Amino acid sequence: MTATHGQHMADEIRQQPAIFADLLATRDAIAEVAATVAQRRPRFALLAARGSSDHAALYAKYLVETLLQLPAGLASPSTTTLFGAQPDLTDVLLISVSQSGGSPDLLEVTESARKQGALTVAVTNTADSPLNSAAELSVDVRAGRETAVAATKTYGATLLALYLLIDAVRGGTGEQAAKLPELAEATLADGKGAVDEAVGRYRFLERMVTTARGYSLATAHEAALKLAETSYLSARSYSGADLLHGPVAAVDADTAVLALASQGIGGTAMREPLEAVAQRGADICAIGSAAADVPATHRIPVPACAEELAPVLEILPVQQLALGLALARGFDPDNPRGLNKVTRTR
């Protein structure tokens, strides 16, 4: 391992508070897109994405269902690209989420949905991408070029952009997000010691379960992906509810559990599953503003904010942990083996 390993990932994690501030300063552009969506009054929403963007889409699904009170689902791109399905999408909102905007399957899904009557919105970090051209409307997450293969700043910026979009559709002004830049700065600075301790605690680990409920489930899924792609850990993510339905049987004293628990309904709902895994002897690392309120052997605190915005802050120590573990295990998280920045699937 060289001194430059992980430098890009570290830099891009640190850039996020400034990116959040920039997004908030340009909220009016997102609000214009939201106004069109609100005017069209969609009857339900579909979200299309892959990889980390798929986790951001899951977050958006919770936002749509709770803030807009609309049914929402995650699209299966292969039903269009491989099986040729062409469902009637009249009065449906399709949000396609892609950092690059260059994935052929998402492009095909978006083009098809628009032909079938959907209002299509592209949420990308590449304003001139093919996906932006294919969609009727677009939102730029404004994260700037991301050099590390593992998505960090683009993921955080996508979460915030999706929140601002969906909040504006319901007539919100984004006021709940106003303090996110300073809260993000505090999260990165104040949690560093606890993250470093977690790196030392888990550097020789081979198996981890990540878990959460509600909005934070997206963070649990993204955490498992980040740990797997940068540290090559065997990491699986589960809803706290699903964890009790069977997977808990595989949790024992040799398993670490990374639990996201922030103040609110979702964090409160995590107490029962974490009590169950604690009884099985698992080493629990709790991350979030409610980390002190759930059973855990190690805690990484995160400042409190509105529950629906917690994933924007929770992901920051997760990214720091993935970076630290990769370096401690002798890997370069900027260039994980076998991965490319843009994955082209169909």
Side-chain angles (χ1 to χ4, degrees), residues 8-9 34 38 44 57 69 96 100 122 135 143 176 201 234 313 336 346:
H8 293 308
M9 185 175 178
F44 67 86
Q69 298 287 296
S96 299
S100 69
Q176 293 280 18
R201 189 180 191 95
S234 176
L313 297 180
R346 187 172 186 276

Side-chain angles (χ1 to χ4, degrees), residues 210-230:
T210 64
T211 184
R213 293 200 68 179
Y215 300 105
S216 297
L217 181 59
T219 314
H221 289 338
E222 178 65 6
L225 175 61
K226 280 292 162 287
L227 292 168
E229 70 182 357
T230 60

Side-chain angles (χ1 to χ4, degrees), residues 43-49 54 56-65 70-77 89 92-97 109:
R43 56 192 173 94
F44 67 86
L46 285 174
L47 296 117
D54 198 36
L58 175 61
Y59 169 64
K61 179 179 183 293
Y62 273 89
L63 291 174
V64 169
E65 291 178 340
L70 287 178
L74 299 177
S76 302
L89 297 180
V92 171
L93 169 65
L94 176 84
I95 302 176
S96 299
V97 188
V109 166

Side-chain angles (χ1 to χ4, degrees), residues 15-27 30 140-144 160 164 181:
Q15 291 169 24
Q16 289 175 95
I19 292 169
F20 297 164
D22 178 61
L23 261 176
L24 288 165
T26 57
R27 193 195 76 87
I30 298 176
D140 183 0
V141 307
R142 303 177 62 87
L160 180 53
L164 292 174

Side-chain angles (χ1 to χ4, degrees), residues 163-224:
Y163 171 80
L164 292 174
L165 173 66
I166 294 164
D167 175 63
V169 171
R170 67 167 174 172
T173 62
E175 60 183 344
Q176 293 280 18
K179 293 185 178 180
L180 276 181
E182 60 190 80
L183 292 177
E185 288 278 12
T187 301
L188 291 171
D190 298 346
K192 187 177 185 306
V195 170
D196 289 345
E197 289 179 27
V199 169
R201 189 180 191 95
Y202 303 122
R203 65 176 298 182
F204 299 112
L205 186 73
E206 294 302 326
R207 186 159 57 104
M208 178 175 279
V209 168
T210 64
T211 184
R213 293 200 68 179
Y215 300 105
S216 297
L217 181 59
T219 314
H221 289 338
E222 178 65 6

